[in-house]
mmCIF file of all heavy atoms in Angstrom:
data_model
loop_
_atom_site.group_PDB
_atom_site.id
_atom_site.type_symbol
_atom_site.label_atom_id
_atom_site.label_comp_id
_atom_site.label_asym_id
_atom_site.label_seq_id
_atom_site.Cartn_x
_atom_site.Cartn_y
_atom_site.Cartn_z
ATOM 1 N N TYR A 89 -74.820 62.773 3.520
ATOM 2 C CA TYR A 89 -75.102 61.745 4.527
ATOM 3 C C TYR A 89 -76.377 60.984 4.129
ATOM 4 O O TYR A 89 -77.371 61.600 3.770
ATOM 5 C CB TYR A 89 -75.249 62.374 5.929
ATOM 6 C CG TYR A 89 -75.379 61.320 7.001
ATOM 7 C CD1 TYR A 89 -74.280 60.558 7.385
ATOM 8 C CD2 TYR A 89 -76.618 61.032 7.575
ATOM 9 C CE1 TYR A 89 -74.406 59.559 8.328
ATOM 10 C CE2 TYR A 89 -76.743 60.032 8.521
ATOM 11 C CZ TYR A 89 -75.635 59.301 8.885
ATOM 12 O OH TYR A 89 -75.767 58.286 9.812
ATOM 13 N N PRO A 90 -76.358 59.638 4.187
ATOM 14 C CA PRO A 90 -77.450 58.864 3.587
ATOM 15 C C PRO A 90 -78.668 58.575 4.461
ATOM 16 O O PRO A 90 -79.605 57.940 3.967
ATOM 17 C CB PRO A 90 -76.755 57.545 3.224
ATOM 18 C CG PRO A 90 -75.678 57.404 4.249
ATOM 19 C CD PRO A 90 -75.230 58.803 4.593
ATOM 20 N N ALA A 91 -78.715 59.002 5.709
ATOM 21 C CA ALA A 91 -79.812 58.577 6.580
ATOM 22 C C ALA A 91 -80.341 59.738 7.413
ATOM 23 O O ALA A 91 -79.761 60.826 7.424
ATOM 24 C CB ALA A 91 -79.324 57.447 7.491
ATOM 25 N N ALA A 92 -81.454 59.479 8.103
ATOM 26 C CA ALA A 92 -82.075 60.510 8.947
ATOM 27 C C ALA A 92 -81.408 60.574 10.319
ATOM 28 O O ALA A 92 -81.459 61.601 10.997
ATOM 29 C CB ALA A 92 -83.562 60.229 9.107
ATOM 30 N N PHE A 93 -80.834 59.446 10.725
ATOM 31 C CA PHE A 93 -80.181 59.349 12.037
ATOM 32 C C PHE A 93 -78.737 58.899 11.863
ATOM 33 O O PHE A 93 -78.431 58.109 10.960
ATOM 34 C CB PHE A 93 -80.875 58.293 12.910
ATOM 35 C CG PHE A 93 -82.126 58.775 13.590
ATOM 36 C CD1 PHE A 93 -83.288 58.991 12.853
ATOM 37 C CD2 PHE A 93 -82.152 59.013 14.954
ATOM 38 C CE1 PHE A 93 -84.453 59.437 13.474
ATOM 39 C CE2 PHE A 93 -83.308 59.462 15.584
ATOM 40 C CZ PHE A 93 -84.467 59.670 14.841
ATOM 41 N N CYS A 94 -77.878 59.333 12.759
ATOM 42 C CA CYS A 94 -76.598 58.680 12.950
ATOM 43 C C CYS A 94 -76.834 57.644 14.046
ATOM 44 O O CYS A 94 -77.448 57.962 15.075
ATOM 45 C CB CYS A 94 -75.540 59.662 13.403
ATOM 46 S SG CYS A 94 -75.205 60.973 12.208
ATOM 47 N N VAL A 95 -76.365 56.417 13.810
ATOM 48 C CA VAL A 95 -76.568 55.343 14.788
ATOM 49 C C VAL A 95 -75.207 54.694 15.032
ATOM 50 O O VAL A 95 -74.681 53.988 14.166
ATOM 51 C CB VAL A 95 -77.594 54.310 14.290
ATOM 52 C CG1 VAL A 95 -77.907 53.312 15.408
ATOM 53 C CG2 VAL A 95 -78.876 54.980 13.796
ATOM 54 N N SER A 96 -74.621 54.963 16.184
ATOM 55 C CA SER A 96 -73.226 54.602 16.455
ATOM 56 C C SER A 96 -73.174 53.622 17.617
ATOM 57 O O SER A 96 -73.689 53.918 18.700
ATOM 58 C CB SER A 96 -72.433 55.869 16.787
ATOM 59 O OG SER A 96 -72.654 56.863 15.802
ATOM 60 N N VAL A 97 -72.560 52.474 17.379
ATOM 61 C CA VAL A 97 -72.587 51.380 18.356
ATOM 62 C C VAL A 97 -71.221 51.205 19.030
ATOM 63 O O VAL A 97 -70.189 51.174 18.357
ATOM 64 C CB VAL A 97 -73.010 50.057 17.664
ATOM 65 C CG1 VAL A 97 -73.090 48.921 18.677
ATOM 66 C CG2 VAL A 97 -74.334 50.225 16.932
ATOM 67 N N ASN A 98 -71.225 51.100 20.352
ATOM 68 C CA ASN A 98 -70.039 50.768 21.168
ATOM 69 C C ASN A 98 -68.858 51.714 20.946
ATOM 70 O O ASN A 98 -68.901 52.838 21.412
ATOM 71 C CB ASN A 98 -69.647 49.300 20.970
ATOM 72 C CG ASN A 98 -70.728 48.361 21.511
ATOM 73 O OD1 ASN A 98 -71.496 48.755 22.382
ATOM 74 N ND2 ASN A 98 -70.795 47.146 21.007
ATOM 75 N N ASP A 99 -67.821 51.265 20.224
ATOM 76 C CA ASP A 99 -66.653 52.141 20.057
ATOM 77 C C ASP A 99 -66.855 53.174 18.951
ATOM 78 O O ASP A 99 -65.981 54.016 18.725
ATOM 79 C CB ASP A 99 -65.376 51.319 19.818
ATOM 80 C CG ASP A 99 -65.442 50.481 18.561
ATOM 81 O OD1 ASP A 99 -66.558 50.286 18.017
ATOM 82 O OD2 ASP A 99 -64.372 50.014 18.112
ATOM 83 N N GLN A 100 -67.980 53.110 18.265
ATOM 84 C CA GLN A 100 -68.313 54.191 17.331
ATOM 85 C C GLN A 100 -68.814 55.365 18.163
ATOM 86 O O GLN A 100 -69.690 55.207 19.017
ATOM 87 C CB GLN A 100 -69.392 53.751 16.342
ATOM 88 C CG GLN A 100 -68.941 52.580 15.475
ATOM 89 C CD GLN A 100 -70.028 52.120 14.511
ATOM 90 O OE1 GLN A 100 -71.211 52.411 14.684
ATOM 91 N NE2 GLN A 100 -69.608 51.389 13.480
ATOM 92 N N VAL A 101 -68.242 56.533 17.918
ATOM 93 C CA VAL A 101 -68.582 57.699 18.732
ATOM 94 C C VAL A 101 -69.792 58.410 18.140
ATOM 95 O O VAL A 101 -70.806 58.611 18.801
ATOM 96 C CB VAL A 101 -67.387 58.680 18.816
ATOM 97 C CG1 VAL A 101 -67.713 59.819 19.771
ATOM 98 C CG2 VAL A 101 -66.115 57.969 19.234
ATOM 99 N N VAL A 102 -69.650 58.810 16.890
ATOM 100 C CA VAL A 102 -70.727 59.522 16.189
ATOM 101 C C VAL A 102 -70.692 59.177 14.701
ATOM 102 O O VAL A 102 -69.745 58.554 14.218
ATOM 103 C CB VAL A 102 -70.594 61.069 16.326
ATOM 104 C CG1 VAL A 102 -70.938 61.535 17.735
ATOM 105 C CG2 VAL A 102 -69.231 61.545 15.896
#
Side-chain angles (χ1 to χ4, degrees):
Y89 187 73
F93 279 72
C94 298
V95 187
S96 310
V97 182
N98 294 336
D99 61 344
Q100 298 179 341
V101 185
V102 288

